[in-house]
Amino acid sequence: MAKSHSRLMNSTGGGAAVLGALLVLSLFAIGVIRHPASIEGAGGQLFAMDVAIVLIYCIAGIWIQRQRFTNLDIALSVGAAVGLMLGAVHIANHVIESFVPLGGRMAQLALGAGRMLVMLGLFCLAGSVAWARTRSVGLAVVGGVWCAMLSVLMALAFAFTSNLAFEARAVLRLHEAFVASGMSDPGAFLVRNSLEAASEVLIIMPALATLLSFAGGLANAWVSSRSRNTAFAAAWLIPIVFAVGALSLWHADSLDRAARPAFVITGLLLAGLSLAGVHATWSALRRA
């Protein structure tokens, strides 16, 4: 039992989160040292906010590494496993965007929407699996948030390393935005743009994971208490709801920017609801 508990503790990813946070902080510092103009004006506040949030991630990793609550460990282990998958998705997406020429707007839309839907699905999966193993919606949310935090650290570490190693290529990709920014140093613009993107994902990803992992855990709790016929009905309904949500997102791309929000929100809600029930329905049908 002691060996099993030790393996469980190692699989929560607390140590990996601490190392990942320290690596991200180091990459922040390297980028700013190479291009001091990136933190002039509002860039300084942006840099300070990013550092503060990553330090919170680091503190969370240290606490997780030290705690000894079995059910919490199980939820964190689920989050770490799914977070590793999601981090790999983010890295693959960054590689494609940076090094693979995409032919046309449709390909770019498919890549962006595909990554978004996979991310939504994995957050729901983390919550659903964590609930199945702990029977707690609260711990399902913990698993989903931890999934988001680990995947964000993986994505930021890879993205900043790639931008530093292939700076000229990254600057070229952002040439139009750089010209519109009014800055004189393209490298400084790249660093500031990266810091801005980092601040968004550091905050938005855990918030999104909170909602979707809660939905995934709640869906599993509801389906598991219903009859087999309900699970079969859900298995038929989920693809239909997902298709309607995907079509709504597809249609939004053809509209003017001002008319998009309603279709985007509807599409994300429908896709999220359908993805929340996938693992729960599959588990119920497998048990049946």
Side-chain angles (χ1 to χ4, degrees), residues 171-209:
V171 166
L172 182 63
R173 191 174 73 251
L174 297 175
H175 177 70
E176 293 183 4
F178 165 67
V179 172
S181 70
M183 296 180 66
S184 57
D185 182 359
F189 174 76
L190 173 65
V191 173
R192 180 175 295 189
N193 183 76
S194 300
L195 290 173
E196 185 175 353
S199 66
E200 292 177 359
V201 298
L202 285 167
I203 297 172
I204 292 175
M205 292 280 279
L208 188 60

Side-chain angles (χ1 to χ4, degrees), residues 90-153:
H90 290 319
I91 289 172
N93 185 83
H94 185 81
V95 169
I96 294 172
E97 286 185 341
S98 301
F99 302 103
V100 178
L102 296 176
R105 179 176 174 80
M106 296 304 296
Q108 296 177 359
L109 175 63
L111 178 65
R115 184 189 64 163
M116 174 63 71
L117 292 174
V118 170
M119 182 178 69
L120 297 179
L122 289 178
F123 285 155
C124 293
L125 176 66
S128 182
V129 174
W131 183 90
R133 297 186 180 182
T134 64
R135 288 300 192 268
S136 168
V137 175
L139 290 177
V141 173
V142 169
V145 172
W146 189 232
C147 162
M149 293 174 69
L150 288 178
S151 66
V152 164
L153 291 175

